[in-house]
Amino acid sequence: MTKPAPEKSALRSAQWFARRDIYGFIYRSWLKNRGIPQDQFEGRPVVGICNTYSELVPCNSHFRTIAEHVKAGVLEAGGFPLEFPVMSLGETLLRPTAMLYRNLASMDVEESIRGNPLDAVVLLVGCDKTTPSLVMGAASVDLPAIAVSGGPMLSGKYRGADIGSGTNVWSMSEDLRAGRLSLDAFHEAEACMHRSHGHCMTMGTASTMASMVEALGIGMPGNAAIPAVDARRNLLARMAGRRAVEMVGEKLTLSRVLTRKAFENAIRVNAAIGGSTNAVIHLIAIARRIGVALTLDDWDRAGRGVHTLVNLMPSGKYLMEDFYYAGGLPAVIRELGRAGKLHKDALTVNGSTLWQNCRDAPCWNRDVIHPFGSPFKENAGIAVLRGNLCPDGAIIKPSAATPELMRHRGRAVVFSDIEDLHRRIDDPKLRIDPSCVMVLRNCGPKGYPGMAEVGNMPLPPKLLKRGITDMVRISDARMSGTAYGTVVLHIAPEAAVGGALALVRDGDMIELDVQGRRLQLDVAAAELEARRKEWRPPKPALDRGYWKLYHDHVLQASEGADLDFLVGSSGAFVPRDNH
Ligand code: FES
């Protein structure tokens, strides 16, 4: 019981626990003080459980239970589990935007994994940014890793109808502003919309990223859609714990799973599910951590010709609960495989290929998951736009846009920042009509800071009252995955670094052509040069601490908005002992 473990071991954790010197004493003794017998960690794979439980992140509030199931699975397979907390990011409370802190949280994750005696890690992810931040951090260490999503909430129920997180917040807010809904009725929906543990249950960013986890192969089959409160979510967590132990023996590290083929599969799955535009930034950032040079053009190329099959909000009408009961993501992946839109040999964390996992997946409801031959929406992959307004790219999600507006020319109505928008959008005297193009700037990575989800600008009440429900909107911001509309996002370079978006003036004509992949400001180059000479960069909101680090080092959206010095991997090696 007190005998030190043998010196020689293939396990990384043996560098801590198998030592016969003062360091081995220290490393072992402070586990024994918790009452853990040495035979529990002697020669056993040590599996970290990276937990984003926080009372400040309501979507992850059930993660203590999930962690217990992972632990049980690790023990059942002969491993030793050690749970640890990392910075958790919630979309609902954190200001100015959780995206500002995604890279900071990823640093926490990376250093927590590397600096500790772990052989593998299970990442507990849920609310939007907790998925990319944990996967990015783990990718930079490259141990065997499995992501376990917390699962979506049950469907919202309101006055006899289903309502979805985010999507119906936006639509009910517009109804309120148009005078079609009372304030009491609006407030009543608060308790009806979110009524169980779990993350947003539309195909918003959290559901999209849970789907990306499964499509990339870094989650167990079924990870995307099992509701948070369904017992099968706990079962999946338990099986992930068992599997993490086996992966240590197989040396199944993240870089063996996160290959270019895996990312191209995920891009196609994102198109098929009508997934969030935020996946574009997150997947590029994850790929660059693991050494895959994924670009915006890869998104356009790989996603072309892929149809949206899943009829979920915000692109359609159903919710994640319906999606799970209809067959979930395996049924979608099966359709893509049968249509020749899948790298079938991509490896996944359960040791099988993506195709082996999904080739026999049933579909129980064809109104929720359409067959590829009769899709819900055709050719709806993320479109990447170029032009003098966005030489480094901008994106639009066709499945959530109005088809008639996808080719449009209109007069610019410019809002210089988010405060300017809030100040003037309700003004009845605002010179705007439905054919105008709404322009919002200084909401990008450096400008906001953190690239907030404000790109789906609210429409002017005077137009809402006329029954207008969509207009072309362009910005350097992001948009909630639950939002919809003909909304061009992620314009790069952003206005705050002198991108052409900073030079647009009221009355300029802007041309959008999604089919032609073009976004153009119809102003002569000489005039733009003259305007550039008058342009001054905005002052950063804060000039110290993490905000300064972020401002000085954040990359543009087209490069994943990571910090420049975080791109790449340092691996799992730690050079020195700690005393
Ligand atoms: Fe957490 Fe939507 S607020 S997923």
Side-chain angles (χ1 to χ4, degrees):
M1 188 125 153
T2 54
K3 197 176 91 194
E7 289 264 23
K8 290 237 182 274
S9 170
L11 295 174
R12 180 174 182 266
S13 57
Q15 296 165 28
W16 280 259
F17 299 133
R19 303 275 292 269
R20 297 183 182 187
D21 52 14
I22 182 175
Y23 299 108
F25 178 103
I26 294 168
Y27 298 138
R28 287 188 296 270
S29 181
W30 268 266
L31 281 185
K32 290 175 179 174
N33 83 332
R34 290 174 46 210
I36 300 168
Q38 187 165 329
D39 62 7
Q40 285 302 293
F41 55 90
E42 175 186 335
R44 292 183 182 226
V46 179
V47 178
I49 302 170
C50 184
N51 200 342
T52 47
Y53 164 82
S54 167
E55 288 188 340
L56 293 169
V57 182
C59 302
N60 298 13
S61 61
H62 57 305
F63 278 23
R64 284 177 166 163
T65 304
I66 290 189
E68 288 307 316
H69 285 279
V70 175
K71 265 183 210 175
V74 171
L75 288 167
E76 286 160 5
F80 177 58
L82 284 172
E83 183 185 341
F84 61 98
V86 288
M87 183 181 194
S88 190
L89 307 173
E91 297 299 310
T92 57
L93 302 174
L94 196 56
R95 292 167 61 174
T97 166
M99 183 63 177
L100 175 62
Y101 307 106
R102 183 199 65 177
N103 303 333
L104 178 62
S106 80
M107 292 168 77
D108 180 358
V109 172
E110 176 180 344
E111 303 306 335
S112 295
I113 295 173
R114 183 185 300 114
N116 280 297
L118 304 178
D119 297 299
V121 66
V122 177
L123 311 168
L124 304 192
V125 298
C127 198
D128 296 12
K129 303 304 175 296
T130 56
T131 303
S133 60
L134 269 60
V135 177
M136 286 162 70
S140 287
V141 187
D142 198 20
L143 291 177
I146 301 184
V148 173
S149 300
M153 284 178 265
L154 297 176
S155 302
K157 297 285 179 187
Y158 175 69
R159 298 186 173 185
D162 282 3
I163 53 171
S165 0
T167 305
N168 286 115
V169 179
W170 314 122
S171 67
M172 292 171 95
S173 170
E174 297 288 64
D175 285 347
L176 179 72
R177 296 171 68 247
R180 293 189 290 265
L181 190 73
S182 74
L183 193 58
D184 281 349
F186 186 59
H187 285 165
E188 183 189 328
E190 289 171 11
C192 305
M193 188 174 283
H194 303 128
R195 58 193 191 88
S196 81
H197 286 302
H199 59 68
C200 289
M201 77 318 245
T202 43
M203 188 51 83
T205 303
S207 300
T208 298
M209 291 310 294
S211 302
M212 295 297 92
V213 159
E214 189 171 336
L216 285 167
I218 56 173
M220 302 291 275
N223 177 74
I226 304 172
V229 295
D230 191 308
R232 288 166 284 187
R233 176 62 61 185
N234 293 334
L235 182 65
L236 181 139
R238 202 170 181 116
M239 300 313 285
R242 290 185 184 182
R243 185 61 200 146
V245 176
E246 295 169 2
M247 286 168 69
V248 175
E250 296 165 16
K251 296 190 174 37
L252 186 45
T253 53
L254 267 181
S255 56
R256 289 182 58 199
V257 178
L258 288 176
T259 59
R260 169 163 282 278
K261 285 182 178 178
F263 285 102
E264 291 184 353
N265 281 343
I267 288 170
R268 290 176 183 138
V269 166
N270 189 66
I273 60 176
S276 166
T277 47
N278 287 318
V280 178
I281 294 186
H282 298 324
L283 258 59
I284 289 175
I286 293 167
R288 289 165 62 112
R289 292 289 187 103
I290 205 84
V292 175
L294 197 72
T295 65
L296 272 185
D297 292 332
D298 289 321
W299 272 89
D300 200 299
R301 183 184 47 76
R304 267 195 203 233
V306 180
H307 309 311
T308 295
L309 310 180
V310 175
N311 180 5
L312 248 63
M313 294 185 198
S315 302
K317 67 175 179 182
Y318 292 105
L319 294 166
M320 287 299 286
E321 209 184 326
D322 308 306
F323 183 40
Y324 181 55
Y325 304 146
L329 202 67
V332 177
I333 293 173
R334 182 188 190 198
E335 287 297 324
L336 290 178
R338 288 160 66 120
K341 300 287 184 190
L342 205 68
H343 297 295
K344 293 180 174 173
D345 57 343
L347 186 62
T348 77
V349 287
N350 74 349
S352 301
T353 65
L354 193 62
W355 186 239
Q356 285 168 336
N357 287 338
C358 302
R359 64 185 168 204
D360 298 322
C363 175
W364 306 109
N365 187 334
R366 282 293 180 200
D367 197 34
V368 178
I369 303 171
H370 287 227
F372 199 87
S374 145
F376 175 53
K377 293 188 181 182
E378 290 197 352
N379 295 318
I382 298 282
V384 177
L385 311 171
R386 306 268 179 185
N388 64 350
L389 254 179
C390 51
D392 292 340
I395 61 166
I396 186 169
K397 176 177 169 179
S399 70
T402 302
E404 301 74 49
L405 287 174
M406 304 257 268
R407 183 159 195 178
H408 183 80
R409 190 167 187 275
R411 169 173 62 85
V413 176
V414 181
F415 301 97
S416 58
D417 55 31
I418 193 68
E419 288 75 24
D420 185 34
L421 174 82
H422 289 152
R423 208 163 32 239
R424 296 194 291 129
I425 193 68
D426 290 349
D427 184 350
K429 295 206 280 294
L430 182 67
R431 234 188 115 239
I432 193 166
D433 64 62
S435 72
C436 288
V437 173
M438 295 173 68
V439 178
L440 175 63
R441 62 186 171 215
N442 292 316
C443 294
K446 285 182 199 278
Y448 197 79
M451 205 183 175
E453 294 183 332
V454 293
N456 55 318
M457 292 164 250
L459 301 183
K462 66 178 182 182
L463 300 184
L464 289 169
K465 285 176 187 150
R466 283 171 48 190
I468 303 300
T469 55
D470 195 11
M471 288 172 65
V472 174
R473 290 160 269 180
I474 73 169
S475 75
D476 47 13
R478 295 179 303 118
M479 168 171 93
S480 165
T482 64
Y484 51 86
T486 311
V487 184
V488 175
L489 302 155
H490 307 186
I491 285 180
E494 64 176 307
V497 298
L501 192 65
L503 311 178
V504 186
R505 291 184 180 167
D506 279 335
D508 290 347
M509 296 305 288
I510 291 176
E511 212 179 319
L512 170 68
D513 176 7
V514 177
Q515 180 69 25
R517 300 296 197 257
R518 200 157 160 273
L519 180 67
Q520 189 74 10
L521 177 63
D522 289 346
V523 174
E527 167 63 14
L528 287 179
E529 249 343 281
R531 292 183 191 179
R532 183 174 299 287
K533 288 196 175 105
E534 290 171 25
W535 177 79
R536 299 287 172 272
K539 269 184 66 153
L542 271 182
D543 203 22
R544 68 163 296 282
Y546 173 70
W547 284 40
K548 176 165 171 51
L549 186 76
Y550 178 88
H551 181 272
D552 292 350
H553 292 279
V554 71
L555 297 168
Q556 289 294 288
S558 51
E559 300 173 289
D562 203 353
L563 302 185
D564 52 13
F565 58 84
L566 289 176
V567 174
S569 160
S570 302
F573 176 67
V574 193
R576 295 197 169 114
D577 289 300
N578 58 11
H579 285 87

